[in-house]
Amino acid sequence: MVATDLAQDVFHYVKAKGALGIGCETGVDGLYAIGNLGTTECSSGFYEPIMCLVLQGAKEAYSGARVIRYGAGDTLIVSHAVPVDAAVIQASPQEPYIALALRLDLAMIRSLADEIGASGEMVGTRHSMNAAASDQALFDAVARLFRLSQDPLEVRALAPLVLRESHFRLLCADHGGMLRQLLRLESPASRISKTIAKIRSSYKSSISVSDLAAASGMSLSAFHEHFKSVTSTTPLQYQKELRLLEARQLLSSGKLSVAAAAYDVGYESPTQFSREYSRKFGVSPSNHKSNAGVLAE
């Protein structure tokens, strides 16, 4: 299924943009081209709702105890914003890792409820991240989206149509079950999505899990079960991941001391922050700051 000429075109596009190893935007908002000349170390981050179509090479993502491997011809679908550790595991200068990633529009997904119909009631998976082989229709839609992204006129005239088709194809995919659950506003998947948005908007403040459960309209036990199933973590651990990742960005910028970064992301104890930061990233925050070229506190 994977068209060699498409993989080559995407790679040359990324190379021309000087974006090998980091990826770049295309002419279509939300569509990114990615190319890596080698494997990468496992790194922590957050995946937003996104689709990734691999054209060459392979990658692994780790979510809790789950390991999701996806290679050439596969599509990764991520339905919720979740903390992830990921690494490119198959790539070389001769055969780079090449992929196209599309940020998902949840409003567009829900607008397709009438077209999807009863299939939106399918339970399917309970996990937010799933990978499987792409069918030809999905591959063709994403390929066309990249092709037209090179022409501003076609972007204006055709991108909205092809974006809608791409979202439709993802909803119809065998591994798009969690997206189909998002079609129903009162489904557990939709309720957890709203909870995630709430945690992310106020991650610096202390949170009450019982309040989150009540706001979601679930019992405490049901809320814990659904949240853990979707995100592979707990609400408090999710908040901690957000805080630590934001602190890493602050320290990398070199603008704040370790203590200031800790307080800025909501920690009350710099000592606790340093301990959890070291456990998460394998390096102390002071060493991270020093390595960024700034005198550590």
Side-chain angles (χ1 to χ4, degrees):
M1 175 185 295
V2 176
T4 302
D5 57 345
L6 176 61
Q8 291 177 344
D9 288 348
V10 172
F11 177 76
H12 291 315
Y13 179 84
V14 177
K15 184 177 181 181
K17 294 288 187 178
L20 288 174
I22 56 176
C24 60
E25 297 179 347
T26 68
V28 172
D29 184 40
L31 180 67
Y32 301 87
I34 303 163
N36 281 80
L37 294 176
T39 58
T40 64
E41 294 183 358
C42 189
S43 61
S44 300
F46 262 80
Y47 276 9
E48 303 293 336
I50 201 168
M51 172 231 73
C52 182
L53 170 63
V54 179
L55 301 173
Q56 187 170 280
K59 194 170 184 178
E60 276 187 351
Y62 313 92
S63 177
R66 298 183 70 223
V67 180
I68 303 99
R69 187 183 191 279
Y70 46 109
D74 294 339
T75 302
L76 174 75
I77 300 177
V78 183
S79 59
H80 295 67
V82 290
V84 175
D85 294 323
V88 174
I89 61 169
Q90 183 181 325
S92 68
Q94 293 74 36
E95 294 188 1
Y97 172 79
I98 306 169
L100 289 169
L102 176 65
R103 185 176 65 244
L104 300 185
D105 184 335
L106 297 185
M108 182 178 291
I109 284 173
R110 292 193 173 102
S111 75
L112 289 162
D114 289 341
E115 286 85 346
I116 296 299
S119 65
E121 300 298 317
M122 294 170 60
V123 175
T125 180
R126 299 180 66 187
H127 300 294
S128 60
M129 294 176 55
N130 295 281
S134 306
D135 62 30
Q136 191 65 51
L138 174 58
F139 179 88
D140 290 345
V142 177
R144 276 185 282 115
L145 196 59
F146 175 74
R147 299 291 191 202
L148 68 84
S149 74
Q150 311 306 298
D151 186 324
L153 178 59
E154 291 194 351
V155 169
R156 291 195 299 272
L158 301 176
L161 300 175
V162 184
L163 278 169
R164 186 173 177 84
E165 178 189 351
S166 299
H167 282 73
F168 175 81
R169 299 298 181 190
L170 289 167
L171 278 165
C172 293
D174 289 341
H175 57 307
M178 186 59 81
L179 291 181
R180 292 191 289 273
Q181 293 180 51
L182 288 172
L183 295 176
R184 295 180 287 123
L185 292 176
E186 296 305 315
S187 68
S190 290
R191 294 182 183 189
I192 295 303
S193 180
K194 293 176 183 177
T195 299
I196 286 173
K198 183 176 180 62
I199 295 174
R200 298 187 77 186
S201 67
S202 56
Y203 72 92
K204 298 180 182 181
S205 304
S206 60
I207 60 174
S208 165
V209 177
S210 58
D211 287 347
L212 291 175
S216 70
M218 301 183 195
S219 68
L220 187 58
S221 60
F223 174 71
H224 267 292
E225 179 185 355
H226 287 294
F227 194 95
K228 184 70 176 289
S229 178
V230 169
T231 68
S232 297
T233 189
T234 66
L236 292 177
Q237 184 63 36
Y238 187 101
Q239 181 191 46
K240 182 190 294 185
E241 294 278 347
L242 277 171
R243 288 178 169 181
L244 292 174
L245 289 167
E246 178 63 22
R248 184 177 63 176
Q249 290 188 330
L250 293 173
L251 292 172
S252 296
S253 72
K255 295 179 180 179
L256 295 179
S257 68
V258 170
Y263 291 130
D264 190 81
V265 299
Y267 276 86
E268 297 180 357
S269 167
T271 301
Q272 179 187 4
F273 165 73
S274 294
R275 182 170 58 250
E276 294 182 351
Y277 190 98
S278 299
R279 186 182 302 123
K280 171 68 177 175
F281 299 116
V283 61
S284 70
S286 57
N287 284 340
H288 186 149
K289 186 174 180 181
S290 295
N291 292 337
V294 181
L295 182 63
E297 292 291 318

